[in-house]
Amino acid sequence: MDLPLESGDDGAAAGPRERARARIEAKILGAAESVFAEHGFSGASMSEIARRAGIPKPNLHYYCKTKEELYQRVLRHILDLWLSTADEIQANADPAAAFAHYIAAKIDLARRHPLASRVFANELIHGAPRLGDFLENELQDWVAKKSKVIDGWVKAGKMHPVDPRHLFFMLWAATQTYADFAVQIAAVLGRKSLKPADYDRAALQTTEIVLRGLGLK
Amino acid sequence: MDLPLESGDDGAAAGPRERARARIEAKILGAAESVFAEHGFSGASMSEIARRAGIPKPNLHYYCKTKEELYQRVLRHILDLWLSTADEIQANADPAAAFAHYIAAKIDLARRHPLASRVFANELIHGAPRLGDFLENELQDWVAKKSKVIDGWVKAGKMHPVDPRHLFFMLWAATQTYADFAVQIAAVLGRKSLKPADYDRAALQTTEIVLRGLGLK
DNA sequence: GTCTATAAACTGATAGAC
DNA sequence: GTCTATCAGTTTATAGAC
């Protein structure tokens, strides 16, 4: 199971009315995330989401006009989670520590929010038809900024030369795989589901190979 | 576009009747693969598959009784493709050459069969409900066999010690991401779709980082 | 705000004429 | 083998009573 989605508190003191509404919306978003993660957009049904949220179907439509709108809310929550990953890839940081921290943070995200990761992965696999301009704008900007930092480290002779963009593709893939393809990993490891120790081992080895691979160890 | 799926020739000399049937079945499997890749199992509709295969919907049901059966055929074709990847991870091989070859082959697979890779990825993301015992049997056996080889290389002091299973998770992820998440990668690279040079660069850098990371360079 | 009943569209699958 | 017509079931979404 995943942690329930938080419904951004609207700042000002909330009365019991607003509190109740917020609690329901949080339940809806959590239920929606789990159903979308399991079945994808088309496969998810509003009835199932309502059932998991513990409310009648028409009430779900009262809070969220359309399935599309509900999906967009879930997706936006996930993108914010993704971008806000505290990372320390900054010019004045130590490269080895920065990459180690980034890998650990990403695997931690995969462990704590596997459903969110899967909804996002599903969206990408099918060509990102509902992702709007996130990839072209927000993500590209993010990568451009971080790439400059890495280029700086390379020029300063602190690490082996690399194409930072492909490095990120590799880091994203190697870490998110522990959320997106958890069934495959669990099956190969002979488990029913991944244990904390599995994620720790994954982070350790991934960090080791990447750091050595970048000439940082 | 993907290469059309080949319909395993039934050996013996085929008459024009069988040839016609084989051609139609190949068209159906190719259409099915593309629709399943785009929309997932639930999102894919038999009408759309029939339309893309250029035949009326009832004819599609004539060749493939149910949507489930059609999906299973597509899936099986993909699994065979996956397992048959010529790899040189064998005890008497040179580790550096073997890993370099494996990475190149996997990225080549991602380039040549992106749709197949996406259907498989989609299946895994949603918990592999239609994958039968492939993960627990065929794949686990494959990994166990290859892991022994790698353990041997480690014991012989040819490379740094690693958990071979997590190494495979990393290699699979880092290579398949160029098929599964191609939209994301293309967007970040500022392209409409990936160019041959992008795959080459990916293979080169991935190999470099992995080999160095394993103490093979 | 909540719920019963239902509309309107689409789905996988088939019957049966050719 | 091929295709027209259609069935039975589900889907998203809403109307309207409470």
Side-chain angles (χ1 to χ4, degrees):
Chain A
M1 268 301 187
D2 216 15
L3 292 174
L5 295 173
E6 294 131 30
S7 63
D9 274 356
D10 293 333
R17 195 64 159 265
E18 287 80 4
R19 299 276 294 270
R21 181 173 186 114
R23 215 180 52 242
I24 293 181
E25 292 200 329
K27 273 208 173 192
I28 289 176
L29 287 180
E33 187 185 59
S34 84
V35 176
F36 284 132
E38 267 179 47
H39 301 104
F41 179 79
S42 323
S45 84
M46 294 293 273
S47 338
E48 175 66 11
I49 294 173
R51 205 187 57 72
R52 264 186 228 192
I55 60 174
K57 193 173 59 162
N59 295 32
L60 175 55
H61 279 283
Y62 172 78
Y63 284 97
C64 253
K65 203 82 181 150
T66 68
K67 183 179 172 181
E68 180 75 36
E69 178 193 324
L70 177 53
Y71 183 74
Q72 286 295 337
R73 280 202 214 173
V74 170
L75 207 52
R76 189 63 242 179
H77 182 269
I78 292 166
L79 300 185
D80 291 339
L81 205 68
W82 209 94
L83 288 174
S84 75
T85 302
D87 69 280
E88 292 166 354
I89 299 182
Q90 293 168 15
N92 59 340
D94 169 57
F99 283 118
H101 184 273
Y102 186 67
I103 290 168
K106 276 287 179 206
I107 287 192
D108 198 51
L109 197 68
R111 180 200 324 216
R112 280 174 23 238
H113 298 280
L115 299 180
S117 184
R118 273 171 223 153
V119 172
F120 183 58
N122 183 69
E123 178 66 19
L124 288 181
I125 281 183
H126 298 120
R130 289 166 235 274
L131 213 48
D133 50 12
F134 169 80
L135 297 177
E136 289 82 5
N137 295 351
E138 295 180 76
L139 185 61
Q140 207 179 34
D141 290 351
W142 188 95
V143 171
K145 219 162 54 182
K146 297 300 176 188
S147 291
K148 274 191 190 162
V149 174
I150 294 177
D151 283 336
W153 289 341
V154 169
K155 274 183 196 138
K158 293 182 179 172
M159 57 181 282
H160 273 111
V162 288
D163 182 327
R165 299 163 308 169
H166 286 278
L167 174 59
F168 277 118
F169 303 151
M170 181 176 168
L171 294 179
W172 294 341
T175 54
Q176 290 187 13
T177 196
Y178 286 92
D180 303 340
F181 303 148
V183 250
Q184 185 180 38
I185 293 176
V188 168
L189 293 181
R191 312 202 189 298
K192 221 173 154 187
S193 67
L194 296 182
K195 297 194 303 184
D198 296 325
Y199 294 100
D200 294 340
R201 196 170 177 76
L204 198 73
Q205 176 160 309
T206 304
T207 302
E208 184 131 334
I209 293 178
V210 169
L211 289 191
R212 222 195 309 272
L214 295 175
L216 290 169
K217 200 169 184 179
Chain B
M1 269 302 192
D2 215 13
L3 292 173
L5 296 172
E6 293 133 31
S7 62
D9 273 357
D10 294 332
R17 195 64 159 264
E18 287 79 5
R19 300 276 293 272
R21 181 172 186 114
R23 216 181 50 241
I24 292 181
E25 292 200 330
K27 274 209 172 190
I28 289 176
L29 287 179
E33 187 184 60
S34 84
V35 176
F36 284 131
E38 269 179 46
H39 304 287
F41 180 78
S42 323
S45 85
M46 294 295 273
S47 338
E48 174 66 12
I49 294 173
R51 204 187 57 74
R52 263 186 229 191
I55 61 174
K57 193 172 61 161
N59 295 32
L60 175 55
H61 279 282
Y62 172 78
Y63 284 98
C64 252
K65 205 79 181 152
T66 67
K67 182 180 174 181
E68 179 75 35
E69 179 193 324
L70 177 54
Y71 183 74
Q72 286 295 337
R73 280 203 213 171
V74 170
L75 207 51
R76 189 63 242 178
H77 182 270
I78 291 166
L79 300 185
D80 291 339
L81 204 69
W82 209 94
L83 289 174
S84 75
T85 301
D87 69 281
E88 293 165 352
I89 299 181
Q90 293 168 15
N92 60 341
D94 169 59
F99 283 118
H101 185 273
Y102 186 66
I103 290 168
K106 276 288 178 206
I107 287 191
D108 199 50
L109 197 69
R111 181 199 324 214
R112 279 175 24 239
H113 298 281
L115 299 180
S117 183
R118 272 170 225 155
V119 173
F120 183 59
N122 183 69
E123 179 66 17
L124 288 182
I125 282 183
H126 299 119
R130 289 167 235 274
L131 214 47
D133 49 12
F134 170 81
L135 297 178
E136 289 82 5
N137 295 351
E138 294 180 76
L139 185 62
Q140 207 178 36
D141 291 351
W142 187 95
V143 171
K145 220 162 52 179
K146 298 302 177 189
S147 292
K148 274 190 191 164
V149 174
I150 294 176
D151 283 336
W153 289 342
V154 169
K155 274 182 196 138
K158 292 182 179 173
M159 57 181 282
H160 273 112
V162 288
D163 182 327
R165 299 165 307 171
H166 285 278
L167 174 59
F168 277 117
F169 303 151
M170 181 177 169
L171 294 179
W172 295 340
T175 53
Q176 290 187 14
T177 196
Y178 287 92
D180 303 341
F181 302 148
V183 250
Q184 185 179 39
I185 292 176
V188 168
L189 294 181
R191 311 202 188 298
K192 220 174 154 186
S193 67
L194 296 182
K195 297 195 302 183
D198 296 326
Y199 294 100
D200 293 341
R201 196 171 177 78
L204 198 73
Q205 176 160 310
T206 304
T207 303
E208 184 132 334
I209 292 178
V210 169
L211 288 192
R212 220 194 310 270
L214 295 176
L216 290 169
K217 199 168 185 181

